Amino acid sequence: MRFKELGKIFDPTEHELDFSQSPQALVFDDFVRIYFSNRKKDLSGKYLSHISYVDMDKNFKTILHVSDKTVMRLGNLGCFDEHGIFPMNVLWDGDRVLAYTGGWSRRTSVSVDGSIGLAVSSDKGETFMRVGEGPVLTSSLSEPFLVTDPFVKKIGEEYHMLYIYGKRWIDGPNQKERVYKIGHAFSRDGITWSKTGLQLIKNKLGKNECQALPTMIKIGTTYHMVFCYREAIDFRTNKQNSYRLGYAHSEDMINWIRDDSKLILKRSEEGWDSQMMCYPHLFECDKNIFLLYNGNEFGRSGFGISILEGL
Amino acid sequence: MFKWEKLGRIFNPSEVKDRPWLKEYAQAPATLIFDDFVRVYFSCRPEPDENKQYTSYSAYVDLDRRNLTKVLNVSDKPILELGKSGTFDEFGTYPVSVIRKGIGVWAYYAGWTRCESVPYNVAIGVAASSDQGKTFKKMGDGPVISYSLDEPFTVSGPKIRKFNSTYYMYYISGYKWEKFEGRAENIFKIRMATSEDGINWSRENRNLIDDKLDINECQASPDVIQLGDKYHMFFCYKYASDFRNNKDRGYRIGYACSDDLINWVRDDSQVGIDVSKEGWDSESIAYPHVFSVDGNTYMLYLGNQVGRHGFGLARLVDLK
């Protein structure tokens, strides 16, 4: 996949926001709504992630509107999404919009756990209501924690989800660090999910490679997946270990061939995405395929976009 | 109505020596019957840590089958290890419920993790034994029944049963966390799920037992037994707040019956057991487990402070 960079299109600091992570598109007739997570500190000084959106024209040059409040409240006391929603993956379902959420809840021996929730919007994606207080996809026998980063597509009569699941927590120099991989689940109704139970993407950096935020698009008969990956340790500020984008393709969504060299979109030498590239999101708009993604510091300074030029 | 004769406390964890992980508590008894003895699984705790936080382990005692008040043996070590870093059962395996499966024994247990905004979260794990229930190996690092859309947290207290070749799991799930005088208290209700293989479960997704106290009634230990042509459930219930030191708000044992294992009619007036006037079970009684052996039906149950001082036995003397 050969992409042409169109550059950074949204800077949260220009809108009194901190972070704009994991941009995800909902395409309307004459604009594109891009959801993202921004962070606010709570009384304890820790971050809480909330979902906002920006409406952009279809050239991705003009900002039409930035939401002035979050699209859904965080979860209730003790719930899986009490301490943040990040990311939120949206798709049209008739007149409704479905949102699959990555919900975060803090732990004591490790920093967090995560599960996937479902919320629905009846007002074109301006506000969302939870379908239930609990998650639709969470830990299981072989996926013990950190089930998150949902990306859902309806293909034929079936819903398919790419997501990540925790594999292990390992000792880092200052704290426990997590290792996670990409999985697949499917559903007839979008609510009750069955896990395939496979690690879809082979490790490139060793067994503790962290693979995150899968996104997928079908072109012809082939599914194309873009994701981000990094080392498990010293990944926050060390450019050698930090997130970059990976690529895999498949004919059946279960068997994937990883070939990162086929993704022609590399980190810049300098500037907003020179240290890190992460949280990719593929979508189609007016017959073009676009890739949204974050740059340095996990999207602290915004997100950019690129357009597919060829396969 | 059931009529029970109390046979007294039969196990007191403080009398056990040389087992630092079994310092106090003997909670949530569950039986497995052998030719010569009845193995009673329970959950216990070492001393709390420097922050006064407990971990919990599960273990067993073997009771003489000819005299169930006689303890023959106490397990040398816990039947299950605590979970790895970040897993659902890192800080506790309590309670446990066992069933024979083929030549082995399977254990379903509640695993405890610690949270920041509330004290804990719980999900149900499964483990298998190939040494007649002395030790169990977990089937995975994660839970077999976890949180779900309708059961957002505290999926706990499993009781595994098999009727007509279907597995039935009675358990509890958290309904909400409510703050009382700044302290988060969990409110939980009795639920059920069924399975053909013991691994893939279908939830019923509704509360089985009507509230009696108020909407914040907490219900636990849904223990089901077939006697005659009916199914009987013994469980315990308490108020959500001020239950630790106020004996009028602590656990009591309740009762419901069913013809189909799914629809239950609560009628606590039938239960036939209550707190004693004095002694180890004078403030509260909790976590009933009812089983039949050699023509008699018995109830194991916890006394004051939810089993801190052990469990007792009662024998069914009449059922009308």
Side-chain angles (χ1 to χ4, degrees):
Chain A
M1 298 185 100
R2 191 174 69 254
F3 285 94
K4 180 184 168 193
E5 284 197 56
L6 303 178
K8 185 157 95 168
I9 58 170
F10 184 76
D11 185 337
T13 61
E14 294 171 3
H15 303 275
E16 296 175 0
L17 293 169
D18 200 4
F19 289 90
S20 55
Q21 297 183 283
S22 194
Q24 310 241 356
L26 186 69
V27 177
F28 288 75
D29 287 343
D30 44 10
F31 66 96
V32 177
R33 180 160 289 170
I34 302 172
Y35 295 87
F36 56 86
S37 292
N38 65 82
R39 300 193 193 181
K40 287 194 177 107
K41 282 187 178 167
D42 68 10
L43 294 173
S44 73
K46 293 185 185 175
Y47 281 116
L48 297 170
S49 289
H50 293 84
I51 302 289
S52 304
Y53 65 79
V54 52
D55 291 337
M56 301 195 78
D57 72 1
K58 288 189 166 180
N59 294 319
F60 302 101
K61 286 188 174 145
T62 308
I63 289 174
L64 305 174
H65 175 65
V66 178
S67 62
D68 52 9
K69 54 180 187 288
T70 184
V71 301
M72 67 184 284
R73 66 169 173 84
L74 297 185
N76 288 334
L77 183 65
C79 289
F80 75 103
D81 54 353
E82 180 184 359
H83 296 123
I85 299 175
F86 159 58
M88 187 170 91
N89 178 244
V90 286
L91 62 154
W92 287 108
D93 180 55
D95 284 344
R96 306 187 307 170
V97 183
L98 304 183
Y100 290 90
T101 62
W104 296 91
S105 132
R106 295 176 191 154
R107 294 289 181 267
T108 60
S109 67
V110 295
S111 53
V112 287
D113 198 4
S115 294
I116 294 169
L118 173 60
V120 175
S121 172
S122 308
D123 58 5
K124 310 279 185 203
E126 283 182 30
T127 59
F128 288 83
M129 294 280 289
R130 279 174 185 70
V131 175
E133 292 297 319
V136 291
L137 198 73
T138 186
S139 51
S140 57
L141 276 175
S142 58
E143 299 179 358
F145 39 71
L146 289 169
V147 173
T148 185
D149 285 8
F151 180 87
V152 175
K153 280 268 187 214
K154 192 173 184 188
I155 297 168
E157 288 302 299
E158 203 155 52
Y159 293 86
H160 291 267
M161 185 191 290
L162 300 176
Y163 66 97
I164 65 169
Y165 59 93
K167 194 88 178 156
R168 66 187 74 88
W169 285 90
I170 61 175
D171 290 325
N174 305 310
Q175 64 195 75
K176 298 260 189 197
E177 301 286 12
R178 50 207 190 234
V179 175
Y180 37 80
K181 310 293 181 186
I182 292 168
H184 168 262
F186 53 97
S187 170
R188 298 296 288 186
D189 60 5
I191 295 173
T192 305
W193 292 86
S194 299
K195 291 178 178 176
T196 303
L198 296 171
Q199 178 181 330
L200 298 190
I201 303 297
K202 279 194 183 135
N203 298 324
K204 182 163 115 178
L205 303 179
K207 72 169 191 164
N208 286 339
E209 176 181 83
C210 298
Q211 306 168 342
L213 217 107
T215 178
M216 173 178 73
I217 201 153
K218 189 177 185 184
I219 304 172
T221 59
T222 303
Y223 299 97
H224 301 266
M225 187 201 301
V226 178
F227 54 94
C228 53
Y229 66 100
R230 60 167 172 79
E231 298 279 0
I233 305 284
D234 189 25
F235 58 88
R236 292 178 179 85
T237 52
N238 179 349
K239 181 177 170 174
Q240 303 305 319
N241 291 354
S242 66
Y243 272 129
R244 68 214 79 172
L245 301 184
Y247 167 80
H249 59 90
S250 170
E251 298 300 314
D252 60 7
M253 267 189 293
I254 307 296
N255 299 290
W256 290 87
I257 296 163
R258 179 174 184 171
D259 187 354
D260 296 352
S261 69
K262 292 269 169 42
L263 182 70
I264 314 297
L265 175 70
K266 296 299 170 218
R267 293 202 288 220
S268 308
E269 289 296 314
E270 53 189 278
W272 76 281
D273 61 350
S274 57
Q275 305 289 316
M276 187 185 292
M277 287 173 85
C278 57
Y279 311 140
H281 178 74
L282 286 164
F283 69 100
E284 188 172 339
C285 176
D286 296 348
K287 300 197 172 153
N288 283 310
I289 290 169
F290 294 92
L291 181 68
L292 286 161
Y293 56 98
N294 284 116
N296 303 344
E297 289 187 82
F298 308 94
R300 179 158 216 157
S301 66
F303 54 81
I305 197 165
S306 58
I307 185 167
L308 184 68
E309 288 191 317
L311 281 174
Chain B
M1 180 171 170
F2 290 82
K3 192 175 170 198
W4 301 91
E5 174 197 9
K6 287 185 178 177
L7 303 177
R9 178 167 60 174
I10 58 168
F11 180 65
N12 180 351
S14 66
E15 292 171 359
V16 175
K17 303 282 180 270
D18 305 324
R19 288 171 180 78
W21 48 272
L22 202 177
K23 217 53 195 172
E24 48 184 0
Y25 290 91
Q27 301 183 284
T31 53
L32 189 67
I33 294 169
F34 290 82
D35 289 345
D36 299 324
F37 56 90
V38 174
R39 181 158 286 169
V40 182
Y41 293 89
F42 61 91
S43 299
C44 56
R45 307 182 191 180
E47 302 265 16
D49 66 15
E50 62 274 17
N51 301 318
K52 296 188 175 165
Q53 288 190 294
Y54 281 107
T55 51
S56 63
Y57 292 90
S58 285
Y60 62 83
V61 293
D62 293 333
L63 306 179
D64 188 339
R65 184 160 166 170
R66 287 155 300 181
N67 175 8
L68 293 176
T69 63
K70 187 178 167 194
V71 173
L72 301 176
N73 178 37
V74 181
S75 59
D76 295 329
K77 57 180 185 180
I79 60 165
L80 278 167
E81 291 177 9
L82 296 183
K84 295 172 189 164
S85 196
T87 55
F88 76 106
D89 55 352
E90 184 178 357
F91 295 104
T93 53
Y94 154 63
V96 63
S97 176
V98 296
I99 193 165
R100 290 186 196 279
K101 193 163 181 184
I103 55 165
V105 182
W106 281 24
Y108 293 85
Y109 66 97
W112 293 65
T113 180
R114 292 179 187 160
C115 303
E116 185 186 278
S117 63
V118 294
Y120 56 81
N121 204 350
V122 192
I124 295 171
V126 62
S129 171
S130 51
D131 61 2
Q132 294 297 312
K134 287 184 186 144
T135 57
F136 290 83
K137 191 171 179 319
K138 294 173 190 177
M139 293 191 200
D141 288 334
V144 70
I145 301 185
S146 191
Y147 333 120
S148 69
L149 204 56
D150 194 48
E151 298 175 351
F153 40 72
T154 320
V155 180
S156 184
K159 300 263 192 179
I160 181 73
R161 299 289 184 270
K162 191 178 187 183
F163 297 106
N164 308 320
S165 75
T166 295
Y167 291 97
Y168 288 79
M169 176 90 76
Y170 296 90
Y171 61 99
I172 62 169
S173 81
Y175 155 67
K176 64 177 169 174
W177 283 95
E178 182 102 1
K179 285 205 171 165
F180 297 95
E181 294 171 358
R183 181 172 185 159
E185 299 284 10
N186 198 356
I187 296 155
F188 38 87
K189 308 291 183 185
I190 290 171
R191 296 280 175 127
M192 70 176 285
T194 56
S195 172
E196 298 309 312
D197 61 4
I199 297 288
N200 297 291
W201 291 89
S202 301
R203 300 175 199 237
E204 187 67 14
N205 278 329
R206 66 183 172 84
N207 297 341
L208 299 188
I209 303 296
D210 290 341
D211 293 322
K212 180 166 106 174
L213 303 177
D214 57 34
I215 59 161
N216 286 340
E217 176 181 271
C218 300
Q219 306 166 344
S221 192
D223 198 83
V224 171
I225 188 170
Q226 183 176 16
L227 295 171
D229 57 357
K230 265 195 181 313
Y231 300 101
H232 307 267
M233 182 192 290
F234 293 85
F235 56 94
C236 57
Y237 62 99
K238 66 169 177 67
Y239 286 91
S241 63
D242 187 27
F243 58 89
R244 289 180 183 85
N245 300 311
N246 181 346
K247 71 173 271 193
D248 295 327
R249 296 173 67 87
Y251 275 119
R252 295 292 184 276
I253 293 176
Y255 170 78
C257 67
S258 171
D259 294 320
D260 61 6
L261 293 159
I262 296 169
N263 297 293
W264 294 87
V265 178
R266 180 174 186 170
D267 185 0
D268 292 358
S269 70
Q270 301 295 312
V271 74
I273 191 167
D274 204 347
V275 292
S276 299
K277 284 213 171 62
E278 54 189 4
W280 75 282
D281 62 349
S282 60
E283 292 165 16
S284 65
I285 51 172
Y287 284 84
H289 170 60
V290 176
F291 65 102
S292 294
V293 61
D294 300 331
N296 280 309
T297 297
Y298 298 90
M299 180 190 289
L300 287 159
Y301 66 99
L302 307 181
N304 302 344
Q305 294 185 271
V306 201
R308 187 167 194 163
H309 312 295
F311 55 78
L313 184 69
R315 187 171 65 89
L316 184 64
V317 291
D318 202 8
L319 171 56
K320 282 180 186 157

